[in-house]
Amino acid sequence: MTDKSSIAAGTLGGASVRTQQSAARGLWSSRWVFFLAATGSAVGLGNIWKFPYITGENGGGAFVLVYLGCILLIGIPLLMAEVMIGRRGRQNPDGAVARLAREAGANTKWRVAGWLGGLTGFLILSFYLVVAGWALSYIPTTLSGTFSGVGGDASGELFNGLLASPMRLIVCGTLVLAATMLIVGFGVRGGLERSLRFLMPGLFVLLVGLVGYAAVTGEFLQALEFLFVPDFSALTATSVLIALGHAFFTLSLGAGAMMVYGSYLPEGTSIAKTSVLVALADTVVALLAGMAIFPLVFGNGLEPGAGPGLIFVTLPIAFGQMPLGQVVGGLFFVMLVIAALTSAISLSEPSIAWMTERFGLSRLKAVLVSGGLLWVLSLGSVFSFNLWADYQLFGKTFFDSLDYLTTNWLMPLGGLMTVLFTGWVMKEQTVRDAIGIRHGGLFRAWWLLLRFGTPLAIVLVFLNLSGLI
Ligand code: TRP
């Protein structure tokens, strides 16, 4: 391993003191690694846990269509902008935006677009790790054959039993948090790269297999109709906002994650091409998850709108019936946990890089401080399902409120500031140089979308939701 590539591999994984100095922060060892890391960030619980259950709650087809539109018209242009800002700014999101603002002769207060993202990512991580903990606790449950032969009711009871036990949730959440912090803080060199190399193809193969199984044993046609035939009467203003929020969530946007990953990206990589590929991989995984789950939902007489427990109730029924289901199921939850970890890493990296670069904390201290805070905050999400289930804020538990606030408001807000900054504050020539799209027409299309289309769409959704239009 050359010196450069060892820094590269250690940038996210290792306690590289050199990350404190932007001049020597290190880079990904290749654009392939960047692609893996960005896809690892994008593909996670959002695709497999969240997409199916919010699709179920929001009536299916029409919601999926709006979500796909948001990915295409808002997600991809913004993803490109975030990576570009990171690569040109070469710092944590807060520092990168401030540096580019200075370069453009603008007010450095724009840095709020950076640090707000770090804060958003931190808040998301506090409940994300609790859900990853559910997946973790399902590994032994599945392997031990608990699900063999269970039906919908029994599976639902097993899941509720997990939610009712703060102790189990805390133990599993803490394990996920510890693993995340270990990788971010000291991690095995290249651990991220190595785990991603087998995870992504493995997850994909397993999902395709599950879709096949669901197609044969479940109500496949009814599922396809539910997912892909839009019924616009099922669409409300809130579902549009949820679709927009989910486009942000699933592509890891509006929270500094892609900026910080972009900041380790070598020059010369095509940002546009990579972003499209990341979005494509992410969308395919989400649709596969939907096609694996809904045939089973309909086949077992379950409710599509059952909420956050959907996959944890549905899939075990299938694992309990199929040949070798214990092993297949165990493997599935192992992969889900790893997919969640690679996302959790990207949720924590912006705030960790911020603490080390802005305040000169060592990486170890930054990890300890944020790990401690995250642990305390995660208790709020844990108790939402048991001890505090009856305490509600605007009709939502702590967990739901945090999810709603971050996904539907903070991320779109962060994204809005980022596109406004890129499209209206940065100089066009700077952006043109930084993004590196050689094709003039393509650049113009992106630039126009970024300046007008994307901000307008976000603002319209916000206004619509506040009841102003
Ligand atoms: N995209 C991840 C998922 O779908 C979650 C995630 C990782 C994320 N990093 C993020 C969400 C940054 C918002 C912002 O599971």
Side-chain angles (χ1 to χ4, degrees), residues 110-197:
W110 277 100
R111 69 191 317 155
V112 60
W115 65 253
L116 184 72
L119 179 70
T120 308
F122 182 86
L123 293 176
I124 294 175
L125 187 53
S126 80
F127 68 82
Y128 199 85
L129 60 92
V130 175
V131 180
W134 301 351
L136 184 66
S137 90
Y138 263 44
I139 299 174
T141 318
T142 313
L143 285 176
S144 64
T146 311
F147 294 119
S148 71
V150 297
D153 289 342
S155 181
E157 268 163 37
L158 283 166
F159 182 65
N160 288 335
L162 169 67
L163 292 188
S165 160
M167 212 44 220
R168 274 172 76 192
L169 296 180
I170 291 174
V171 169
C172 293
T174 306
L175 288 173
V176 172
L177 177 62
T180 308
M181 290 300 146
L182 220 62
I183 301 175
V184 173
F186 313 95
V188 207
R189 259 190 199 150
L192 190 63
E193 179 175 350
R194 220 170 302 133
S195 54
L196 286 165
R197 259 185 219 281

Side-chain angles (χ1 to χ4, degrees), residues 216-230:
V216 175
T217 62
E219 294 290 334
F220 198 51
L221 284 181
Q222 197 182 345
L224 290 184
E225 193 183 327
F226 180 74
L227 281 172
F228 299 114
V229 179

Side-chain angles (χ1 to χ4, degrees), residues 38-50 117 120-121 124 128 245-258 282 339-340 342-348 350 407 411:
T39 312
S41 165
V43 174
L45 296 170
N47 307 59
I48 295 169
W49 159 69
K50 203 168 184 195
T120 308
I124 294 175
Y128 199 85
H246 189 64
F248 279 85
F249 190 90
T250 195
L251 292 180
S252 305
L253 298 174
M258 291 300 180
D282 186 77
T342 55
S343 299
I345 292 166
S346 79
L347 281 164
S348 64
T407 309
M411 290 198 303

Side-chain angles (χ1 to χ4, degrees), residues 139 142-143 203 206 325-336:
I139 299 174
T142 313
L143 285 176
L203 190 66
L206 209 62
Q326 276 166 250
V327 181
V328 176
L331 209 63
F332 174 81
F333 286 114
V334 168
M335 295 209 180
L336 189 56

